[in-house]
Amino acid sequence: MAKYKFNSFGVMIDMSRNAVMSVEGLKRFLPILKKMGYNCAMLYTEDTYEVKDEPYFGYMRGRYSIAEMKELDEYATSIGVELIPCIQTLAHLGCLAPWYPYSEFFDCNDILLVGDDRTYALIDKMFRTMRDCFDSEYINIGMDEAHFVGLGKYLAKNGYKNRLDILLEHLNKVCKIAEKYNFKPVMWSDMFFSLVKASYRSDKFVEFPQDALGKVPENVALCYWDYYSKGETVYDAMISSHKQFKNEVWFS
């Protein structure tokens, strides 16, 4: 049987639903991961982290303070585990959307309003916080499951536009902010598939428009996530489809 060597082999820990793992709990868990052969971990935080001058960010949600994130990163580094921040920069921000003043620049549901200056000012603050707290060169920028992007306030303001173009417009702006803070962004890749063929996982090769492929920033890695498929044909087809992009491919 063939053996493969991965530079990064880790887990993503969900800190956004039901409870946020305590600092003490994470310090007990990370050494266990290290003994099992893992060398990195993503902390999935939708809004559950402190952002300076944003008091409603993670309000009453058990968010990590800036000091706690720095402490965790220092501890993980000391035992040889890379902590990778894993945030959301488009959708999955439903716990933030109800709070004023954020509600004014949400497109619909849990999706930020693409093209609005307030969206990118907030995302800039997110990246600044992550860079202050984490030494990793990587950051997961989310952008998954934004199924109604462009169909709320964006539609009322701009009229209907190709929604893949809307996603790419946003991605390019977010990647420039990531570059400003010396991050290599990683994004979940499902929306490319959902906007081209109306679903994500497929056991058939999915061909992407060449003009769209050319608009994807080369500095973003695409993470194919699949927690459901059982047959090899789906994985083979999806990985082949991802290879059309000029981007590094991750798998989750």
Side-chain angles (χ1 to χ4, degrees):
M1 181 180 291
K3 292 184 178 181
Y4 298 93
K5 185 179 186 301
F6 296 96
N7 293 326
S8 297
F9 182 57
V11 298
M12 181 182 75
I13 310 168
D14 193 339
M15 305 298 191
S16 297
R17 295 174 180 83
N18 302 322
V20 177
M21 188 181 290
S22 69
V23 172
E24 294 75 18
L26 201 51
K27 283 185 173 181
R28 291 195 299 269
F29 187 51
L30 290 174
I32 297 172
L33 291 178
K34 179 66 177 178
K35 290 176 182 177
M36 294 170 65
Y38 294 95
N39 64 3
C40 65
M42 285 187 185
L43 302 185
Y44 179 66
T45 50
E46 294 176 349
D47 67 311
T48 48
Y49 56 95
E50 178 186 1
V51 176
K52 190 176 180 181
D53 299 324
E54 300 293 339
Y56 292 112
F57 216 86
Y59 179 67
M60 299 294 286
R61 295 249 291 141
R63 68 185 175 198
Y64 286 119
S65 69
I66 289 172
E68 287 173 330
M69 288 187 286
K70 289 181 178 180
E71 179 183 349
L72 285 169
D73 188 64
E74 290 174 3
Y75 175 76
T77 300
S78 73
I79 63 170
V81 175
E82 178 183 3
L83 275 192
I84 300 174
C86 185
I87 63 174
Q88 287 290 352
T89 60
L90 183 57
H92 281 293
L93 290 169
C95 289
L96 196 65
W99 295 106
Y100 181 82
Y102 308 120
S103 58
E104 291 301 309
F105 56 98
F106 269 78
D107 185 359
C108 61
N109 299 339
D110 62 351
I111 303 169
L112 289 168
L113 182 56
V114 173
D116 192 292
D117 290 343
R118 293 168 294 183
T119 292
Y120 303 103
L122 180 61
I123 292 172
D124 190 282
K125 288 184 178 182
M126 296 177 188
F127 277 104
R128 187 189 313 154
T129 297
M130 294 297 105
R131 178 42 75 213
D132 285 346
C133 296
F134 295 93
D135 285 334
S136 176
E137 64 178 342
Y138 291 106
I139 185 169
N140 189 313
I141 59 174
M143 298 187 66
D144 57 309
E145 297 183 318
H147 299 301
F148 297 101
V149 64
L151 297 179
K153 287 191 180 78
Y154 187 97
L155 179 62
K157 182 178 179 181
N158 301 287
Y160 183 81
K161 292 177 66 174
N162 182 297
R163 297 199 302 130
L164 183 57
D165 288 340
I166 296 173
L167 180 75
L168 290 167
E169 172 193 342
H170 186 66
L171 175 60
N172 275 274
K173 290 180 178 179
V174 172
C175 285
K176 285 182 180 178
I177 299 173
E179 188 175 355
K180 171 183 173 182
Y181 290 100
N182 296 314
F183 273 122
K184 292 182 180 179
V186 182
M187 70 174 288
W188 307 116
S189 63
D190 56 293
M191 285 306 298
F192 289 118
F193 290 80
S194 297
L195 292 174
V196 168
K197 65 178 291 291
S199 63
Y200 185 26
R201 284 165 293 280
S202 174
D203 60 357
K204 301 290 190 300
F205 180 80
V206 177
E207 186 171 356
F208 291 94
Q210 286 299 315
D211 61 332
L213 292 172
K215 293 177 183 176
V216 179
E218 293 190 20
N219 69 326
V220 62
L222 305 183
C223 189
Y224 160 40
W225 60 274
D226 192 336
Y227 316 137
Y228 313 103
S229 298
K230 297 179 180 178
E232 292 181 12
T233 54
V234 174
Y235 294 110
D236 287 342
M238 290 295 292
I239 291 171
S240 296
S241 298
H242 277 81
K243 287 183 176 179
Q244 293 172 86
F245 296 88
K246 297 178 181 178
N247 306 74
E248 183 179 354
V249 177
W250 290 30
F251 175 74
S252 176

